[in-house]
Short mmCIF file of all heavy atoms in Angstrom, two decimals:
data_model
loop_
_atom_site.label_atom_id
_atom_site.label_comp_id
_atom_site.label_asym_id
_atom_site.label_seq_id
_atom_site.Cartn_x
_atom_site.Cartn_y
_atom_site.Cartn_z
N THR G 71 2.13 2.01 21.48
CA THR G 71 1.44 1.65 20.18
C THR G 71 2.66 1.44 19.19
O THR G 71 3.58 2.34 19.18
CB THR G 71 0.57 2.72 19.62
OG1 THR G 71 -0.41 2.89 20.61
CG2 THR G 71 0.02 2.30 18.31
N THR G 72 2.65 0.36 18.38
CA THR G 72 3.69 0.03 17.49
C THR G 72 3.05 0.10 16.03
O THR G 72 2.07 -0.69 15.91
CB THR G 72 4.26 -1.31 17.74
OG1 THR G 72 4.78 -1.25 19.09
CG2 THR G 72 5.45 -1.56 16.83
N GLY G 73 3.81 0.72 15.12
CA GLY G 73 3.39 0.68 13.71
C GLY G 73 4.28 -0.27 12.96
O GLY G 73 5.43 -0.44 13.30
N TYR G 74 3.78 -0.85 11.84
CA TYR G 74 4.52 -1.89 11.22
C TYR G 74 4.18 -1.55 9.58
O TYR G 74 2.92 -1.57 9.32
CB TYR G 74 4.15 -3.15 11.69
CG TYR G 74 4.70 -4.35 10.80
CD1 TYR G 74 5.98 -4.87 10.92
CD2 TYR G 74 3.81 -5.04 9.83
CE1 TYR G 74 6.45 -5.93 10.19
CE2 TYR G 74 4.31 -6.13 9.13
CZ TYR G 74 5.59 -6.57 9.33
OH TYR G 74 6.06 -7.59 8.61
N ILE G 75 5.18 -1.47 8.84
CA ILE G 75 5.01 -1.42 7.36
C ILE G 75 5.00 -2.83 6.94
O ILE G 75 6.00 -3.56 6.88
CB ILE G 75 6.02 -0.56 6.69
CG1 ILE G 75 5.86 0.95 7.20
CG2 ILE G 75 5.84 -0.59 5.16
CD1 ILE G 75 7.07 1.73 6.64
N ALA G 76 3.81 -3.31 6.36
CA ALA G 76 3.82 -4.62 5.82
C ALA G 76 4.37 -4.72 4.39
O ALA G 76 4.99 -5.65 4.03
CB ALA G 76 2.37 -5.18 5.94
N MET G 77 3.95 -3.69 3.60
CA MET G 77 4.17 -3.68 2.18
C MET G 77 4.42 -2.21 1.79
O MET G 77 3.59 -1.37 2.08
CB MET G 77 3.11 -4.35 1.24
CG MET G 77 2.82 -5.73 1.66
SD MET G 77 1.29 -6.27 0.92
CE MET G 77 0.78 -7.49 2.15
N LEU G 78 5.41 -1.93 0.96
CA LEU G 78 5.56 -0.66 0.39
C LEU G 78 6.15 -0.88 -0.99
O LEU G 78 7.20 -1.50 -1.10
CB LEU G 78 6.57 0.16 1.28
CG LEU G 78 7.02 1.44 0.68
CD1 LEU G 78 5.84 2.50 0.56
CD2 LEU G 78 8.16 2.10 1.55
N SER G 79 5.49 -0.25 -1.97
CA SER G 79 6.00 -0.49 -3.28
C SER G 79 5.66 0.85 -4.30
O SER G 79 4.64 1.41 -4.10
CB SER G 79 5.39 -1.72 -3.95
OG SER G 79 5.90 -1.95 -5.31
N VAL G 80 6.68 1.11 -5.04
CA VAL G 80 6.59 2.23 -5.96
C VAL G 80 6.92 1.58 -7.34
O VAL G 80 7.99 1.07 -7.43
CB VAL G 80 7.40 3.42 -5.64
CG1 VAL G 80 7.31 4.50 -6.75
CG2 VAL G 80 6.98 4.01 -4.24
N ASP G 81 6.12 1.92 -8.39
CA ASP G 81 6.47 1.55 -9.76
C ASP G 81 7.84 1.99 -10.11
O ASP G 81 8.16 3.17 -9.70
CB ASP G 81 5.36 2.14 -10.76
CG ASP G 81 5.45 1.71 -12.13
OD1 ASP G 81 6.66 1.95 -12.64
OD2 ASP G 81 4.50 1.24 -12.65
N LYS G 82 8.60 1.09 -10.77
CA LYS G 82 10.01 1.50 -11.06
C LYS G 82 10.07 2.74 -11.91
O LYS G 82 11.08 3.62 -11.67
CB LYS G 82 10.67 0.39 -11.88
CG LYS G 82 10.95 -0.88 -11.18
CD LYS G 82 11.61 -1.94 -12.09
CE LYS G 82 11.74 -3.12 -11.38
NZ LYS G 82 10.87 -4.23 -11.80
N ARG G 83 9.20 3.07 -12.69
CA ARG G 83 9.13 4.35 -13.51
C ARG G 83 9.04 5.61 -12.60
O ARG G 83 9.29 6.68 -13.15
CB ARG G 83 8.10 4.26 -14.61
CG ARG G 83 8.28 3.10 -15.60
CD ARG G 83 7.14 2.92 -16.42
NE ARG G 83 6.08 2.47 -15.63
CZ ARG G 83 4.78 2.20 -16.05
NH1 ARG G 83 4.49 2.56 -17.23
NH2 ARG G 83 3.88 1.76 -15.22
N TYR G 84 8.58 5.45 -11.42
CA TYR G 84 8.33 6.69 -10.63
C TYR G 84 9.14 6.73 -9.35
O TYR G 84 8.97 7.50 -8.48
CB TYR G 84 6.89 6.67 -10.17
CG TYR G 84 5.99 6.79 -11.38
CD1 TYR G 84 5.44 5.80 -12.08
CD2 TYR G 84 5.67 8.19 -11.82
CE1 TYR G 84 4.63 5.92 -13.23
CE2 TYR G 84 4.87 8.30 -12.98
CZ TYR G 84 4.30 7.14 -13.63
OH TYR G 84 3.47 7.33 -14.83
N ARG G 85 10.23 5.90 -9.29
CA ARG G 85 11.16 5.99 -8.25
C ARG G 85 12.00 7.14 -8.25
O ARG G 85 12.21 7.82 -9.20
CB ARG G 85 11.83 4.69 -8.08
CG ARG G 85 11.03 3.50 -7.81
CD ARG G 85 11.88 2.20 -7.59
NE ARG G 85 10.78 1.12 -7.33
CZ ARG G 85 11.22 -0.15 -7.51
NH1 ARG G 85 12.40 -0.49 -7.80
NH2 ARG G 85 10.27 -1.05 -7.28
N LYS G 86 12.59 7.50 -7.09
CA LYS G 86 13.53 8.56 -6.82
C LYS G 86 12.82 9.93 -6.97
O LYS G 86 13.51 10.97 -7.32
CB LYS G 86 14.67 8.57 -7.92
CG LYS G 86 15.47 7.26 -7.96
CD LYS G 86 16.29 7.15 -6.73
CE LYS G 86 17.04 5.86 -6.90
NZ LYS G 86 17.69 5.32 -5.65
N ARG G 87 11.53 9.92 -6.65
CA ARG G 87 10.70 11.24 -6.57
C ARG G 87 10.11 11.50 -5.20
O ARG G 87 9.33 12.36 -5.04
CB ARG G 87 9.64 11.11 -7.59
CG ARG G 87 10.07 10.89 -8.95
CD ARG G 87 8.89 10.94 -9.99
NE ARG G 87 9.31 10.51 -11.24
CZ ARG G 87 8.56 10.38 -12.30
NH1 ARG G 87 7.38 10.97 -12.23
NH2 ARG G 87 9.04 10.07 -13.48
#
Side-chain angles (χ1 to χ4, degrees):
T71 301
T72 303
Y74 171 81
I75 297 174
M77 301 167 212
L78 172 63
S79 182
V80 176
D81 184 304
K82 288 180 183 110
R83 297 169 292 176
Y84 294 93
R85 292 186 183 162
K86 306 290 184 195
R87 300 182 192 189

